[in-house]
Amino acid sequence: MIVSIDGRIVPPEQATISIFDRGFQHGDGLFETLRTWAGVAVTWPEHEARLRRSAATLRLPVAAAIEVHPAIEAAGGGDQRVKVIVTRGGRTIVIVEPLGPLPTEVSAAVVDLPLARRREGHKMLAYAENLIARDLAIAAGADEAIRLDADGFVAEGSSSNVFVVEGEDVLTPPAGNGLLPGITRGRVLGLGGRERRISVAELRAADEVFVTSAVRGVVAVTRLDGVARVPGPVTARIAGTYEGQIREQARSSVV
Ligand code: PDD
């Protein structure tokens, strides 16, 4: 594991911030989680743009330059998980650790912890609610929670976005209901997906369901609320195209 604080790499056991930092005391700060592909942080520019957009909305000062590459290089390339944290107290933290095994499928459960009515989701350090939603899903025998918006429609996963497939249509809930506009969600929309409100009944009746996140990519939901589902051809096609696109970008960026 490599940790840098304000651009200086420090031994993990010495990586500390002040207890007076609002980021620590109140979760007042933002974070981004992504992965590298053969040492290349292909999606970092998209994550940085989202972080800075949220920072502007939340009036959170952010360093002019967020240096992720020195920590990624120090971690020795390969496939790594990268977390970038910005606190109200002015700290910029980068944590790089081995990616580890990724799920090829997930089981999901709709949980009763709806999103608050808000226009846009931000990847705030105050993330406990997402973790509690996942705990509810785990208690129901699933890996990932599916949360509803304030009107009872499908919103997003506890740490992912949700897509359903109806025939050839690839659909995801519209932003604006409080969901986090995922980077991977944006790329899948770019591959032909479109936004539409999705009821719980439509979720359960869908031909295919998959979740997306920058670390896990595009992953089929093969069990929903305890009901087995067959991973479908459209999910496999989208997952293949998404990964192919990213690997090509990784290759072209090192050439
Ligand atoms: N989670 N919604 C929420 C609440 C998330 O936490 C995440 C990402 C997403 C997907 O966004 P993206 O495609 O930009 O990763 C949607 C990250 C992976 C995490 O668990 O930290």
Side-chain angles (χ1 to χ4, degrees), residues 31 33 47 50 123 127 130 156-161 180 182-185 212-215:
F31 74 102
T33 309
H47 289 268
R50 177 174 62 188
K123 219 166 161 49
Y127 197 73
N130 299 68
E156 63 177 346
S158 65
S159 64
S160 62
N161 290 109
L180 181 80
I183 302 304
T184 321
R185 173 184 179 272
T212 63
S213 79
V215 170

